Amino acid sequence: MRLSLRFVIPLLLALGLFAYAVVPLVDKLTARWFSRDLEVRANLIANTVEDPLQDLIRSGDRPRMLQFFTRLTQDERLLAVAFCPAAEGGGEPIATPTLPAEVRCSELERFETPSGGLLQTATGPVLVSVRPIPPMGQLALVHDMSFIARRSQETREYLFLFFVGLGLIVALITVVIAQLSWRGWMQGLRGLLRGETLFLAPGHAGPWPLPPAELRPIAHDLRQLIEDIEADHRSRDEAQLLWTPATLRDILHRELRGQEVIVVSNREPYIHMRGGAGIEVWRPASGLVAALEPIMRACSGTWIAHGSGNADREVVDAHDRLTVPPPPDNPQYQLRRVWLSPDEEAGYYYGFANEGIWPLCHIAHVRPIFRTSDWEQYVNVNRKFASTVEQESSSPNPIVLVQDYHLALLPRMIREALPAATIISFWHIPWPNPEAFAICPWREELLDGMLGSTILGFHTQFHVNNFVDTVDRFLEARVDRETFSVSYRGKPTSVKRYPISVEWPPPAELLSKPVEQCRTVIRQRHNLPPEHAVGIGVDRMDYTKGIEERMRAVERLLELKPEWIGKFSLIQIAAPTRVRIEEYRAYEMRVRDLATRINQRFPEATHPPIILKAEHHQPDEIFEYYRGADVCAVTSLHDGMNLVAKEFVSARDDQRGVLILSHFTGAARELPEALIVNPYDTDECASALHVALTMPGTEQRTRMRLMRGLIQDFNVFRWAGRMLMDAASSRRRGSVPEFVVPRAGERRQSGPLAPDTRR
């Protein structure tokens, strides 16, 4: 299109300049043509009236002559008629009342030219034609020229429309031909890559003809060029898109032709629990759920998850399905629950996933524990999820989004059951370096399972690099570090960076309560005065979240800046999690004891420095705290992204509040306007708290405006949209065979090239 515009725009400009230059010439020619026509009419009139006029002159009947002239002027183009008697004949001129004052019998000589005479009068332009009536005098015919001006204007308008139409037609033809030529060129390149119009390689038995070995380097270069062009176009398209649920639906229908979307995760988006008022619906405190739930609302697919609520079985149908969100919201997608036995849950979830992989991937100084029995349950549960995906898929080639470390084996299992599926796996937690990952006894099996994916995503490029290094260390696979792709078992896997984000704009119901009202409500709820400074921390009760470090920073702040004693409180919301694991129970006890000790250390404080809320909170309650707090502290010791930071920013439509963010979160790479801290450095965190509490409003607005702008542009819909667009590109490339340029010293092959297994 840009190439077409380079031709079309100069063409339109040239046509415009040409039309501008032609208009005066057209006006001049038009006036000349009409003047000539009027002269012909004057001759005709003079010849017609000569005999009757001579009779009237001889009779001397002036009234009849005037009446005769008046009848002649009924023609709209004949303005006036006058008879000027010869000087020797004497007598007064006879003229119609419409004769312009500028036309006098004594000055008729200046109009006696072959083309008559143009005259500008008070009533407009006229053409004066003088014809002799020998021997009696001269007949003057005055023609109205105003109609010529009107027709000249119409001519200019028609001329302008003509050139506009001509330019549009030429532009349309040019664009169509350019597009057809572009498509033909691209089809020709793809045909070359497939070997079309080329000689078959001898002995080749594959489904596509291959070019001779001498032309394979050219084919490889052309293929790389096409991928670069597509990537460039896609990046420009992404920058111009306004990422919304409608954008996602459009991508599905345009790029993927409405393919079904299946999300698979351990955690479910809605949990049904028995309570005092009957069955209650809980929204789990999970960044994964917060990110994926709006995606599923937009795509209307199926979410497969472990049914962990004690009332989950009571609300599903005979096929273990239900539509969500539950009433009174409008149901928009389907939730399929997978049931696990207590042994399966203990070994798969609490054992291998959260006592093994979780501490292995998080550098949080907790030793991972690996048991063979846990591994066996992990394999069985992954196989159960794979069977459920196969049951729920209504087509042989669905798009399956596999989420997180609980289901590392699932991509390979789905690939074996549904070979045509497009599998996008996303690893929500950090990926360690190869030395740390080597601790896992089943490292090769985990990598094999993950490389069943079409696309494998991580939050940051650092995690992508670690994964590629790990594959290169432990598997016999071809690793391309330029494109970050891995070819394993004859199938490619693209390893990409997809920084996860939050919904933008946030749901209207979460922002319905004004900020000032939120400030008042949370202070009244905790018996704090209206001007009391409030910090907020929102986490699961997990040892990787740095809750202890955060509380020690508050303690250190009160030591260094005693003026904040009784004037600042940290409200720590910590949803209980994984309570069956000893390390988590011990951590919760340490957090509770630390909060009690800090509060007892400052008895002079009229209000406690630490307010610990170790209980589950609904999203609307969390947003109320976000909107009412002065500071949000995120001090994770190691985190893939941490969406609490982005949720806090998205909640602050008043552009106030300060975010303190750990350097060890993925979010720190995207939100440098936050106060970035090392959570292990207590003094630095305490200093950041003081800076945040004393930061001027103008600086708060500047920082918050920049962070909100980034989240608006890179929201959760863009996160999902990029993966879906890459999935569409992968599907398009699936019909084109991969050609590899043989390395120096390698034997050229006539058939498909075998994977390079060298490390």
Side-chain angles (χ1 to χ4, degrees):
M1 181 60 71
R2 289 191 175 183
L3 187 62
S4 302
L5 291 177
R6 290 177 185 175
F7 176 79
V8 170
I9 292 176
L11 173 65
L12 294 177
L13 291 175
L15 288 174
L17 292 174
F18 183 72
Y20 181 78
V22 164
V23 166
L25 177 62
V26 171
D27 285 344
K28 185 176 181 180
L29 291 176
T30 302
R32 184 180 299 172
W33 290 337
F34 280 114
S35 298
R36 189 176 302 164
D37 289 343
L38 291 177
E39 285 297 326
V40 172
R41 285 170 55 85
N43 290 332
L44 179 61
I45 293 173
N47 293 333
T48 303
V49 304
E50 182 175 359
D51 291 340
L53 183 58
Q54 288 179 349
D55 293 340
L56 290 173
I57 294 172
R58 292 189 188 98
S59 66
D61 192 344
R62 296 176 65 88
R64 288 187 62 189
M65 290 178 63
L66 185 59
Q67 186 179 10
F68 181 65
F69 288 167
T70 302
R71 286 200 303 269
L72 291 178
T73 58
Q74 289 179 357
D75 187 335
E76 64 175 352
R77 299 184 186 179
L78 192 59
L79 178 65
V81 179
F83 175 71
C84 298
E88 60 273 10
E92 293 294 330
I94 301 173
T96 59
T98 55
L99 183 69
E102 293 84 356
V103 180
R104 303 180 182 87
C105 289
S106 59
E107 300 177 357
L108 291 182
E109 291 80 5
R110 66 187 177 110
F111 302 116
E112 293 177 352
T113 62
S115 59
L118 289 172
L119 180 65
Q120 184 67 36
T121 68
T123 58
V126 297
L127 177 68
V128 182
S129 300
V130 180
R131 296 293 182 270
I133 306 295
M136 301 176 183
Q138 293 176 304
L139 181 67
L141 302 174
V142 181
H143 304 275
D144 185 6
M145 296 287 286
S146 60
F147 79 95
I148 297 178
R150 292 193 300 271
R151 293 196 176 181
S152 296
Q153 179 64 28
E154 293 177 358
T155 302
R156 286 194 295 270
E157 293 175 357
Y158 291 144
L159 185 65
F160 174 76
L161 293 176
F162 169 76
F163 279 106
V164 169
L166 178 63
L168 292 177
I169 291 173
V170 172
L172 178 61
I173 294 174
T174 301
V175 171
V176 170
I177 293 176
Q179 290 297 318
L180 291 176
S181 300
W182 170 260
R183 292 178 183 176
W185 184 61
M186 294 300 293
Q187 290 173 358
L189 287 176
R190 291 191 175 100
L192 176 61
L193 298 182
R194 290 193 296 267
E196 295 174 1
T197 72
L198 298 175
F199 295 102
L200 295 180
H204 174 61
W208 290 280
L210 290 174
E214 292 77 10
L215 294 180
R216 287 179 197 163
I218 299 176
H220 181 274
D221 292 342
L222 289 175
R223 181 188 181 93
Q224 187 63 48
L225 175 62
I226 292 172
E227 292 179 355
D228 292 344
I229 292 173
E230 289 179 344
D232 182 60
H233 286 180
R234 186 167 63 251
S235 63
R236 285 200 294 265
D237 291 342
E238 284 183 28
Q240 295 170 358
L241 281 177
L242 178 63
W243 289 92
T244 64
T247 308
L248 276 184
R249 285 190 289 268
D250 181 63
I251 289 174
L252 282 175
H253 291 288
R254 185 185 71 247
E255 301 284 349
L256 297 165
R257 295 182 175 88
Q259 292 290 337
E260 64 173 329
V261 176
I262 300 175
V263 167
V264 193
S265 69
N266 174 76
R267 193 176 299 274
E268 57 184 337
Y270 297 94
I271 303 174
H272 289 83
M273 302 291 291
R274 296 188 192 92
I279 296 178
E280 300 175 351
V281 180
W282 287 10
R283 291 284 304 279
S286 167
L288 181 150
V289 170
L292 284 175
E293 218 273 327
I295 304 304
M296 292 306 294
R297 289 178 184 246
C299 297
S300 302
T302 300
W303 189 325
I304 300 173
H306 168 217
S308 58
N310 57 29
D312 278 355
R313 291 181 184 268
E314 301 177 30
V315 297
V316 297
D317 62 14
H319 302 285
D320 300 325
R321 304 185 185 105
L322 72 156
T323 55
V324 290
D329 293 334
N330 179 32
Q332 294 175 311
Y333 64 95
Q334 181 173 265
L335 174 61
R336 166 69 189 275
R337 284 172 169 156
V338 176
W339 312 114
L340 303 181
S341 68
D343 289 342
E344 287 175 330
E345 188 173 1
Y348 145 78
Y349 179 75
Y350 291 105
F352 190 80
N354 287 307
E355 286 188 291
I357 298 180
W358 178 268
L360 175 68
C361 293
H362 288 84
I363 305 174
H365 313 295
V366 173
R367 188 175 67 87
I369 300 173
F370 294 103
R371 309 178 186 91
T372 301
S373 59
D374 291 343
W375 167 251
E376 292 172 350
Q377 294 292 3
Y378 187 83
V379 174
N380 292 336
V381 172
N382 273 253
R383 189 172 292 117
K384 181 178 288 190
F385 273 95
S387 177
T388 306
V389 171
E390 187 176 7
Q391 295 169 17
E392 291 299 318
S393 176
S394 60
S395 65
N397 58 342
I399 299 169
V400 185
L401 303 176
V402 179
Q403 302 300 309
D404 224 356
Y405 62 100
H406 312 89
L407 303 168
L409 304 179
L410 186 59
R412 176 66 61 194
M413 295 175 178
I414 296 175
R415 176 68 62 212
E416 293 172 353
L418 299 169
T422 299
I423 304 170
I424 306 173
S425 298
F426 192 80
W427 193 264
H428 288 261
I429 64 176
W431 186 270
N433 59 51
E435 287 74 16
F437 189 75
I439 295 173
C440 180
W442 297 277
R443 53 183 180 265
E444 288 86 0
E445 288 86 343
L446 291 176
L447 294 173
D448 174 81
M450 296 174 68
L451 290 176
S453 308
T454 311
I455 298 172
L456 179 57
F458 294 91
H459 287 301
T460 68
Q461 189 62 43
F462 181 72
H463 299 152
V464 169
N465 296 342
N466 278 350
F467 179 82
V468 171
D469 290 342
T470 303
V471 171
D472 197 30
R473 177 75 61 87
F474 296 113
L475 293 183
E476 294 292 335
R478 187 195 312 127
V479 174
D480 188 336
R481 296 182 182 275
E482 292 184 3
T483 61
F484 288 96
S485 63
V486 177
S487 182
Y488 180 67
R489 289 197 183 186
K491 296 290 184 180
T493 298
S494 295
V495 187
K496 294 180 177 290
R497 179 181 69 94
Y498 299 109
I500 201 169
S501 192
V502 296
E503 184 176 5
W504 184 278
E509 60 270 17
L510 297 181
L511 303 178
S512 58
K513 188 178 293 186
V515 170
E516 288 304 319
Q517 184 179 351
C518 293
R519 291 178 58 86
T520 301
V521 167
I522 66 172
R523 284 162 177 77
Q524 291 178 349
R525 182 180 299 155
H526 299 288
N527 299 316
L528 302 175
E531 299 304 320
H532 196 79
V534 171
I536 183 70
V538 179
D539 308 273
R540 289 180 298 106
M541 188 69 79
D542 192 294
Y543 52 77
T544 67
K545 300 302 180 182
I547 299 175
E548 290 180 291
E549 287 72 13
R550 194 175 308 154
M551 291 180 176
R552 292 193 183 98
V554 173
E555 180 183 26
R556 185 60 174 160
L557 170 69
L558 302 183
E559 291 174 354
L560 298 175
K561 302 291 181 179
E563 62 268 24
W564 288 112
I565 297 176
K567 296 182 180 180
F568 169 72
S569 297
L570 172 70
I571 301 176
Q572 177 61 55
I573 296 175
T577 184
R578 303 166 188 167
V579 294
R580 293 174 55 179
I581 299 177
E582 174 60 31
E583 188 64 42
Y584 282 83
R585 293 198 301 271
Y587 184 74
E588 182 175 349
M589 290 299 298
R590 293 200 305 270
V591 169
R592 290 182 181 275
D593 291 344
L594 180 60
T596 301
R597 182 185 66 77
I598 293 174
N599 288 338
Q600 291 175 349
R601 184 182 172 190
F602 299 96
E604 71 276 18
T606 54
H607 304 286
I610 305 294
I611 300 175
L612 180 61
K613 305 289 290 183
E615 58 193 42
H616 180 80
H617 287 70
Q618 295 290 357
D620 57 338
E621 298 174 303
I622 298 295
F623 257 71
E624 188 176 63
Y625 279 100
Y626 286 151
R627 290 169 66 77
D630 301 294
V631 180
C632 178
V634 177
T635 54
S636 303
L637 304 182
H638 202 186
D639 229 331
M641 176 57 67
N642 194 292
L643 293 182
V644 168
K646 295 186 176 183
E647 288 177 347
F648 173 73
V649 171
S650 69
R652 297 313 296 254
D653 54 359
D654 63 334
Q655 297 184 354
R656 299 296 295 271
V658 181
L659 175 63
I660 298 176
L661 186 55
S662 166
H663 172 74
F664 303 110
T665 63
R669 293 167 171 81
E670 297 188 82
L671 302 174
E673 294 79 18
L675 302 182
I676 308 299
V677 298
N678 177 0
Y680 294 95
D681 188 339
T682 304
D683 281 4
E684 183 182 54
C685 293
S687 175
L689 280 171
H690 179 70
V691 170
L693 293 171
T694 57
M695 184 178 292
T698 54
E699 184 177 350
Q700 291 183 34
R701 282 190 290 271
T702 299
R703 291 173 178 265
M704 188 61 68
R705 189 181 302 115
L706 292 171
M707 291 188 289
R708 285 173 62 83
L710 180 133
I711 293 176
Q712 178 180 1
D713 292 339
F714 294 88
N715 58 29
V716 72
F717 303 112
R718 184 169 186 170
W719 171 74
R722 287 184 58 212
M723 289 191 289
L724 293 176
M725 292 174 72
D726 287 341
S729 297
S730 176
R731 288 196 174 202
R732 288 193 295 269
R733 289 195 300 267
S735 60
V736 181
E738 178 75 29
F739 299 125
V740 180
V741 180
R743 300 178 182 178
E746 288 186 349
R747 180 176 59 87
R748 295 183 182 271
Q749 304 179 35
S750 59
L753 298 179
D756 182 5
T757 59
R758 298 182 305 172
R759 286 201 294 260

